[in-house]
Amino acid sequence: MSLIIDNVSKSVDGEIHLQDIHLTMQKGSFNTLLGPTLSGKTSLLRLLAGLDKPTSGRIMMGGQDLSSIPVWKRNVSMVYQQFINYPHLDIYENIAFPLRRAGLAKAEIDRKVRATAETLRIDELLRRSPGELSGGQQQRTALARSLVKGADLLLLDEPLINLDYKLREEFHDEFTNIFADNRDTIIIYSSTDPLESLLLGGDILVLDEGRQLQHGPTHDVYRNPRMEAVARVFNDPQMNMINGRVENGRIVLGQGLTLPRSTHMTDLREGKYRFGLRANALGLSRASADDVELEARVELGEINGSETFVHIHHNEVSWVVQEDGVHTHSLGQVIRVYFNPEYLFAFDEKGMLAAAPKYVPGSGTAEE
Amino acid sequence: MLGLYRFLKYSAILLWSAFVAGPFLWALTTSFKTSEGIVSGATYIPWLQYKPSLDGWGVLFRRGGQGIDIVDPYLASLTVTLSASAISLVLGTLAAYGLSRFSYKAGPIKNADITFFFISQRIMPPIVLSIPFFLMLQAFGLLDTKLGLIIVYVALLMPIAVWVMIDFFHNIPVELDETAMLDGCRPVETFFRVILPNCKPGLVVAGLFCLIFGWNDFFFAFMLTFTKTQLLPVAVVALNSSVTPWWSLSASALVSVAPLVILAFVVEKYLSRGNLAGAIK
Amino acid sequence: MLVSRQKLIFLLPGLLVLVAIIIFPLLFTIRVSFSSWDVMYPGLDWIGGKNYSRLFSDSRFWESLQRLAGIAVGTVVIEYLLGFGLALLVWKEVRYKRFFRVLFLVPMMTTPVIMSVIWRTIFHESLGPLNNILGFLGLGQVPWLSTAGMAVVSVMMVEIWQWTPFMFLLLLAGLLSLPKEPFQAAAIDGAGPFRTFFMVTFPLMAPISIGTLIIRLIEASKIMETVYVLTSGGPGTATETSSYYIYIRGLRDFQIGYAASLSVTYLVLMILALTILAKFLVRAFISKDKA
């Protein structure tokens, strides 16, 4: 059973929320929906759930147009950002609720509720009420309820956004197990966090301002962003973008940083380009003999979890360097940064990808 | 400084408490007096200032002759108020839920206008409606009946129920309804299985308000009933003549206002809650 | 979708019942106001705007409206000040807080006419406790119900006793739902209780205050039962409110047609006045907020 989103658009009071979304998702697939806030992720999930109707286009499931089927007859689950559970029912009854509505036998309900509760490690809490639980436990309950009924379509709308960093990491580890043996369900997980989508794997749909930018296997999209906008959305901190050109067989970045043309760029025609470099491709020490050295002034040091983002200025261009560990730099200090031209992306004047690096920085080896 | 502040604060609280409780205490002491206890001027302490008697209370439960019989009006008031409040609460809660969750449209009329129509009924002065109500009930043969009053009270009380419940439903996240629908509930099932069980605080407040305005109405009961049906306020006020037997008047007044006052203390925890939807975060 | 049919199940029963009960009386009242229906000739003959031209020169009606405006605005303002003060008193930690909160609500639970009957015995000039206590304090005797000025004061006092609790309830609920952060910020800035009140509490309470004042003004514009029991509009017409005057014309004198025209005029004026008052309140509270 596949889900076909056929040219779907949605506008509310003349404001466009989604425009021409067109893609197919297969049974048993895991899909992330990546995009910044207000990019249309929630709108799309609500359309798929049947909570809203598309302004135009069709949503088909197993060959059937979904628009004629009311929400309560669809086999869809949804987990929200907020922790939504039935306050008047205990955890057991919360999880059993969809099964009871479906008219399952008592013994079967009991078996399924206990199994799902165990998977989500809330089997000790079954007689508590949602109000007595922590945020993480409440969201576990909501997840259990959405998993237990074996829906055709499982929608998760930034389910971890209201949890703290530690709990989020805990969930990420578990998700790999929970979703691992999924065969029958199409799972769609929306996120604003590129790292989260990379961790979860599967396929990705990148959305921006209601438009579908790219759809494909997550790691492919990460390596080959179809256009500059995808690279922007799919990198945190954002990819450094530098205007430049290919001239006389060499690459010129910004005001005149001239580099040799690396192997993946050999096919590029002469002309203007925008060159992209991930923040994690820049380093404060030389990693290989091919590295280019820049002298730059520190504008800002930003500590983000276990990483430091150093904003630097070199020759009229601002760059962001992602540094592992917590470091402090004094503002205005002049430092040396290094990068390997092998990691440069090139986008043409229309913003489409012209060349992508063969390697992903970090391991230093090709990741296949 | 702090001591003075506390002194003033508690003085103010006690002073207002005295103002609030004064009429009740006066009615209580008066209810045990006889005519000698009244005509000699204001007295307060039984045995010391006057000889207490149970006459004022006794006549309330005696029919005919010397009796006043407050039992029948009491039962009539209970029947009318409870029925009208229940109907208003049911219809008002359903309408409030609908208005808070769905959008309705009929020509230029939208949700906001319908909500306003419901709530604006409170602007209507009773006197404006009294004559047509009289004629309407007369036409249907419902004058001087409990059913007639119940119909009139529903129009009076439903706006209150809608007002309280709309506010309450706005505080329940709509995602709760959606989750129920995704779990297989139709809108009507969603309401009864998921929303209604979480409405207790709102229903208590709305119900209490309905009871207050229903139980305490005098004007319509006075206008629309005569002999067959007599509600409590009408029966009590009928005693308010120049030769008022103050003792039985006081006793009947206390008996009349007691149920709601007691109810207020019972549902206390729902009344002073900041967010009426506090049970659902 | 199917929802569109199901959603009507919620709205329609209540809406239809209310429309059925209210619309006929309202339309009927308007129709009757153009008739000369009275005790001698009941019926719906058409006399055009005669009733309306009569009421324009009926000074007793206009006086009753002025009186109503004075009494209603006066009591509501006093109720608001008292109710706000009381809510502030039992908002924070107070001993027996829960008991006092309910005690303060009790008058609202009681039947206005019945309590007015009790108040009438309290106001009794020779046998009532009020003059007795004043005499004991050496303050002399007050003609509570028999002079024009004091009769108005008495009516207002009973109204205030009855309805301050309603103000108190809504304002206390408002206070309890206020966010804590602005108060913490004010405390960090070292603001004293008075500055905190005027800079934080009062502005935050503005929307609730407006709502509460409007609801009470609506209810106060209907004052009639207190007057009926305490003074019967007297002495003379000193306490005669519009509702009571219409009651006398319609149900005592049985000039149904004329009373209907008074009712319609009264209702229209009420809606106009309350709309203007609501706008005025919004401006008064919100501009103070910004200043």
Side-chain angles (χ1 to χ4, degrees):
Chain A
M1 200 187 278
S2 59
L3 174 72
I4 301 168
I5 304 172
D6 182 11
N7 256 319
V8 163
S9 297
K10 172 75 180 172
S11 46
V12 179
D13 299 329
E15 197 182 318
I16 295 167
H17 289 194
L18 286 171
Q19 200 170 1
D20 301 330
I21 306 296
H22 192 85
L23 57 114
T24 305
M25 291 175 178
Q26 297 300 337
K27 186 167 113 172
S29 65
F30 184 93
N31 308 270
T32 44
L33 203 55
L34 180 69
T37 320
L38 296 178
S39 58
K41 301 187 298 295
T42 303
S43 305
L44 182 56
L45 292 181
R46 292 181 60 84
L47 292 183
L48 295 178
L51 295 167
D52 294 328
K53 280 202 283 187
T55 312
S56 66
R58 286 182 310 169
I59 298 169
M60 316 273 288
M61 185 97 173
Q64 201 182 2
D65 190 338
L66 283 183
S67 62
S68 58
I69 305 174
V71 183
W72 54 92
K73 286 193 183 148
R74 299 180 180 200
N75 195 10
V76 180
S77 295
M78 182 140 167
V79 177
Y80 292 88
Q81 297 178 2
Q82 309 95 305
F83 314 135
I84 300 290
N85 290 299
Y86 304 119
H88 63 297
L89 299 176
D90 65 15
I91 302 307
Y92 184 98
E93 285 303 320
N94 258 280
I95 304 173
F97 190 88
L99 303 178
R100 293 205 194 285
R101 300 304 307 139
L104 264 62
K106 241 184 173 175
E108 175 141 30
I109 291 176
D110 191 64
R111 189 180 59 74
K112 286 195 171 184
V113 169
R114 289 186 191 284
T116 314
E118 207 172 315
T119 312
L120 282 154
R121 301 197 286 128
I122 45 174
D123 43 331
E124 303 285 309
L125 306 170
L126 289 174
R127 288 301 158 210
R128 305 271 207 90
S129 77
E132 301 167 352
L133 303 187
S134 70
Q137 291 166 332
Q138 288 186 40
Q139 200 62 325
R140 282 173 186 278
T141 308
L143 275 162
R145 198 181 51 244
S146 70
L147 286 171
V148 77
K149 66 183 192 185
D152 298 331
L153 192 55
L154 170 56
L155 309 170
L156 302 124
D157 189 8
E158 301 186 50
L160 306 183
I161 197 109
N162 286 324
L163 295 173
D164 65 46
Y165 180 73
K166 269 264 162 60
L167 278 171
R168 273 211 291 272
E169 293 207 322
E170 205 179 296
F171 269 100
H172 285 149
D173 290 344
E174 288 180 49
F175 278 164
T176 334
N177 294 325
I178 295 170
F179 300 136
D181 47 349
N182 163 45
R183 282 190 180 70
D184 306 317
T185 305
I186 298 170
I187 303 172
I188 306 179
Y189 186 109
S190 87
S191 174
T192 50
D193 180 3
L195 195 63
E196 184 174 46
S197 4
L198 283 172
L199 282 169
L200 295 170
D203 290 342
I204 197 166
L205 170 66
V206 181
L207 278 178
D208 192 28
E209 294 179 344
R211 285 164 196 276
Q212 157 184 357
L213 299 184
Q214 193 169 1
H215 180 224
T218 305
H219 290 277
D220 287 358
V221 173
Y222 182 71
R223 271 197 293 264
N224 295 301
R226 204 163 65 88
M227 56 177 98
E228 202 185 313
V230 174
R232 199 179 60 234
V233 172
F234 207 161
N235 282 285
D236 182 33
Q238 285 192 4
M239 187 182 274
N240 294 299
M241 298 304 278
I242 307 104
N243 288 319
R245 55 196 187 275
V246 174
E247 205 175 74
N248 305 326
R250 296 174 71 85
I251 293 167
V252 183
L253 288 186
Q255 297 300 319
L257 177 63
T258 313
L259 312 169
R261 191 158 14 169
S262 52
T263 48
H264 69 289
M265 302 266 195
T266 45
D267 293 340
L268 286 187
R269 269 188 238 149
E270 307 245 319
K272 283 186 179 168
Y273 291 93
R274 296 255 292 163
F275 292 95
L277 187 66
R278 291 206 165 98
N280 61 1
L282 282 152
L284 295 190
S285 59
R286 186 179 286 276
S288 80
D290 300 332
D291 279 7
V292 178
E293 182 186 291
L294 296 179
E295 251 186 21
R297 213 176 55 249
V298 175
E299 284 183 322
L300 180 68
E302 193 186 340
I303 293 161
N304 188 350
S306 58
E307 289 153 355
T308 309
F309 300 156
V310 192
H311 296 247
I312 56 169
H313 196 82
H314 168 82
N315 208 2
E316 306 296 311
V317 183
S318 290
W319 308 62
V320 183
V321 181
Q322 180 179 342
E323 207 185 351
D324 280 340
V326 174
H327 304 276
T328 49
H329 299 278
S330 41
L331 301 188
Q333 182 191 355
V334 175
I335 57 171
R336 290 198 163 80
V337 297
Y338 303 88
F339 70 91
N340 189 331
E342 291 288 339
Y343 296 142
L344 277 177
F345 288 82
F347 298 95
D348 65 18
E349 283 183 286
K350 286 180 187 143
M352 303 307 283
L353 184 70
K358 293 202 178 79
Y359 310 108
V360 173
S363 57
T365 55
E367 187 190 309
E368 270 311 321
Chain B
M1 179 64 200
L2 206 64
L4 178 70
Y5 172 71
R6 278 182 54 137
F7 173 76
L8 288 176
K9 181 163 150 178
Y10 281 97
S11 305
I13 289 177
L14 290 177
L15 199 67
W16 186 261
S17 302
F19 180 55
V20 164
F24 298 106
L25 296 176
W26 168 250
L28 189 66
T29 191
T30 306
S31 71
F32 293 108
K33 291 178 188 172
T34 54
S35 56
E36 296 108 79
I38 304 280
V39 294
S40 54
T43 50
Y44 309 96
I45 306 161
W47 289 291
L48 221 64
Q49 289 180 306
Y50 65 89
K51 206 166 134 279
S53 126
L54 282 174
D55 281 4
W57 295 85
V59 291
L60 298 185
F61 306 100
R62 223 174 290 146
R63 285 175 204 226
Q66 293 295 303
I68 295 168
D69 180 28
I70 205 162
V71 179
D72 286 344
Y74 215 97
L75 292 176
S77 261
L78 267 180
T79 314
V80 170
T81 308
L82 287 178
S83 317
S85 297
I87 297 169
S88 304
L89 206 54
V90 170
L91 296 179
T93 302
L94 285 172
Y97 180 73
L99 287 168
S100 75
R101 289 299 190 266
F102 308 107
S103 43
Y104 298 94
K105 229 178 127 183
I109 301 167
K110 291 192 181 143
N111 280 35
D113 308 295
I114 303 171
T115 308
F116 181 77
F117 170 75
F118 272 105
I119 297 175
S120 65
Q121 297 312 315
R122 293 300 308 171
I123 283 187
M124 212 74 84
I127 185 76
V128 174
L129 299 173
S130 59
I131 295 164
F133 270 153
F134 183 95
L135 296 168
M136 190 167 79
L137 293 189
Q138 191 175 42
F140 290 105
L142 292 172
L143 217 48
D144 204 12
T145 64
K146 293 191 193 74
L147 181 61
L149 272 186
I150 290 171
I151 292 171
V152 169
Y153 281 7
V154 165
L156 250 52
L157 303 183
M158 208 199 304
I160 300 174
V162 170
W163 171 56
V164 175
M165 292 313 291
I166 277 196
D167 209 40
F168 185 81
F169 287 132
H170 278 316
N171 281 310
I172 296 182
V174 69
E175 285 82 1
L176 187 65
D177 308 55
E178 292 174 354
T179 302
M181 285 202 246
L182 288 164
D183 281 347
C185 295
R186 293 158 178 282
V188 176
E189 290 170 315
T190 299
F191 176 75
F192 283 104
R193 284 178 190 277
V194 173
I195 303 301
L196 201 57
N198 291 303
C199 280
K200 203 175 150 200
L203 289 174
V204 168
V205 174
L208 185 69
F209 273 26
C210 286
L211 290 177
I212 290 172
F213 284 92
W215 182 262
N216 291 341
D217 169 74
F218 165 74
F219 189 73
F220 287 108
F222 176 63
M223 284 287 308
L224 305 174
T225 59
F226 316 103
T227 48
K228 277 193 295 162
T229 306
Q230 195 182 32
L231 294 201
L232 203 49
V234 181
V236 173
V237 170
L239 302 173
N240 180 35
S241 60
S242 46
V243 283
T244 311
W246 280 14
W247 48 95
S248 48
L249 183 73
S250 298
S252 63
L254 288 173
V255 171
S256 312
V257 300
L260 284 183
V261 173
I262 292 165
L263 188 63
F265 278 92
V266 172
V267 301
E268 169 266 341
K269 68 172 171 166
Y270 294 104
L271 279 176
S272 45
R273 179 166 287 152
N275 182 358
L276 294 181
I280 297 163
K281 291 229 170 76
Chain C
M1 227 177 1
L2 272 168
V3 176
S4 56
R5 227 178 324 137
Q6 296 219 3
K7 69 185 182 185
L8 292 177
I9 298 174
F10 296 106
L11 180 64
L12 279 189
L15 189 62
L16 292 181
V17 166
L18 195 60
V19 168
I21 303 179
I22 289 292
I23 290 296
F24 165 74
L26 204 58
L27 295 178
F28 190 78
T29 303
I30 295 171
R31 175 63 188 87
V32 171
S33 74
F34 293 100
S35 78
S36 63
W37 190 323
D38 64 14
V39 69
M40 307 294 286
Y41 305 101
L44 286 172
D45 56 333
W46 179 268
I47 58 159
K50 269 191 199 151
N51 285 329
Y52 287 93
S53 49
R54 175 178 163 199
L55 76 82
F56 264 101
S57 51
D58 185 349
S59 59
R60 194 166 157 190
F61 175 63
W62 298 107
E63 278 162 22
S64 78
L65 270 174
Q66 278 173 21
R67 200 174 294 119
L68 172 69
I71 293 178
V73 172
T75 51
V76 169
V77 168
I78 295 171
E79 284 165 16
Y80 174 70
L81 295 176
L82 286 170
F84 208 148
L86 292 167
L88 286 171
L89 280 178
V90 296
W91 175 26
K92 297 274 175 61
E93 270 325 299
V94 168
R95 230 173 284 184
Y96 309 115
K97 177 168 72 179
R98 294 174 60 167
F99 170 78
F100 283 118
R101 281 182 185 173
V102 194
L103 180 70
F104 287 180
L105 292 179
V106 161
M108 181 182 117
M109 314 285 165
T110 62
T111 316
V113 268
I114 293 182
M115 290 318 290
S116 296
V117 170
I118 299 297
W119 275 103
R120 196 164 163 238
T121 69
I122 293 173
F123 287 130
H124 196 283
E125 277 164 40
S126 52
L127 304 179
L130 209 49
N131 272 348
N132 180 256
I133 291 169
L134 289 180
F136 180 75
L137 296 173
L139 294 173
Q141 306 287 292
V142 176
W144 291 104
L145 299 173
S146 55
T147 61
M150 286 319 291
V152 173
V153 171
S154 303
V155 168
M156 287 176 70
M157 193 158 126
V158 175
E159 282 287 321
I160 289 165
W161 180 87
Q162 184 90 39
W163 292 115
T164 300
F166 188 80
M167 280 291 188
F168 165 78
L169 175 67
L170 296 191
L171 291 170
L172 180 64
L175 282 175
L176 290 172
S177 67
L178 291 185
K180 291 199 176 64
E181 294 78 15
F183 293 95
Q184 286 159 357
I188 289 166
D189 291 347
F194 288 99
R195 266 198 57 198
T196 307
F197 176 78
F198 285 107
M199 304 304 287
V200 183
T201 319
F202 191 73
L204 284 176
M205 288 290 286
I208 297 159
S209 295
I210 295 169
T212 315
L213 281 167
I214 292 172
I215 293 171
R216 270 304 299 142
L217 279 169
I218 289 173
E219 297 292 327
S221 70
K222 303 188 276 195
I223 294 178
M224 134 144 224
E225 298 182 350
T226 322
V227 170
Y228 172 79
V229 173
L230 280 181
T231 63
S232 303
T237 57
T239 53
E240 192 172 87
T241 59
S242 308
S243 282
Y244 194 72
Y245 176 60
I246 299 171
Y247 164 75
I248 286 179
R249 278 284 173 264
L251 299 162
R252 259 229 207 121
D253 306 349
F254 228 70
Q255 301 174 11
I256 304 282
Y258 184 54
S261 71
L262 292 174
S263 296
V264 172
T265 312
Y266 170 44
L267 184 61
V268 170
L269 288 175
M270 270 314 109
I271 292 169
L272 281 178
L274 288 166
T275 312
I276 292 167
L277 266 173
K279 290 230 168 87
F280 166 78
L281 282 173
V282 168
R283 198 173 309 158
F285 275 88
I286 302 303
S287 68
K288 226 178 243 171
D289 191 2
K290 280 187 187 139

